[in-house]
Amino acid sequence: MRRILVMLAAVTLAAMPAFSKSKEESRLEESGEVLKEIMNIPDDIPQDLLDKAECVIVVPSVKKAAFIVGASYGRGAMSCRSGAHWTGPWGAPTMMAIEGGSFGLQIGGQATDFVILVMNPRGANSLLSSKVKLGADASAAAGPKGRDAEASTDVYMRAEMLTYSRAQGLFAGISLEGSTLRPDGDANESIYGRKVDAKDIVRGGAVKVPASAQQMVDVLNKRSPKNLSDPKSLE
């Protein structure tokens, strides 16, 4: 009997993969898949806005079931354009956390994906340095959708971040005011194998794009290879 158990254990171990993915790696892969799917929706993020974004945050599969009073949260990743003036290819992502606010009440009981466009260097640098409260530390607005949507209104021109959600196949702008965004240091350490500051990841080129983030970065580089913001705004 003992011999049979040992043999069964050996077969089970042999059938297992050489390594198992961490939850952070899975989250990066989910972020890439969510972004790919949203970019293929006919009425998706207006191209004009995507081409003027310095960073894109994706927070996949946020569920109300995971919320408790005062501790609502989601986890995702942010990729930004590289280069001193945000004009290079999209680079390695920093892991991010979104917390608090009222979005837990808005999303209902369905799994909801969030996408956030960061529209200027000030907003991006703020996110890389500290916790940012949307609507207080950084201006935010529910983003417009549709390739032909009018994206030049004052609200969108002034907002540092434009926020979207997708639930049950419905993609739309959503208000996330009152929520906070911050780099997730523990998740970054898990992904990159060492403690590394979010600013060093995004602005310093301290790490390469991990395999789990490749789809997310590839989608961004394919859909928006050039930053079309006013060059003066990037200085």
Side-chain angles (χ1 to χ4, degrees), residues 20-30 95 190-191:
S20 58
K21 295 178 184 176
S22 69
K23 61 182 180 181
E24 287 80 14
E25 288 174 313
S26 295
R27 192 172 296 127
L28 275 176
E29 291 180 349
E30 291 171 16
M95 304 302 286
S190 175
I191 288 293

Side-chain angles (χ1 to χ4, degrees), residues 22-71:
S22 69
K23 61 182 180 181
E24 287 80 14
E25 288 174 313
S26 295
R27 192 172 296 127
L28 275 176
E29 291 180 349
E30 291 171 16
S31 296
E33 191 62 31
V34 165
L35 192 61
K36 179 181 177 181
E37 291 172 358
I38 287 176
M39 293 300 179
N40 287 328
I41 296 173
D43 288 330
D44 66 347
I45 297 169
Q47 187 66 42
D48 178 59
L49 291 177
L50 183 61
D51 287 340
K52 293 178 180 178
E54 272 64 80
C55 304
V56 172
I57 302 169
V58 183
V59 185
S61 299
V62 177
K63 296 181 181 180
K64 187 177 180 182
F67 295 93
I68 58 175
V69 175

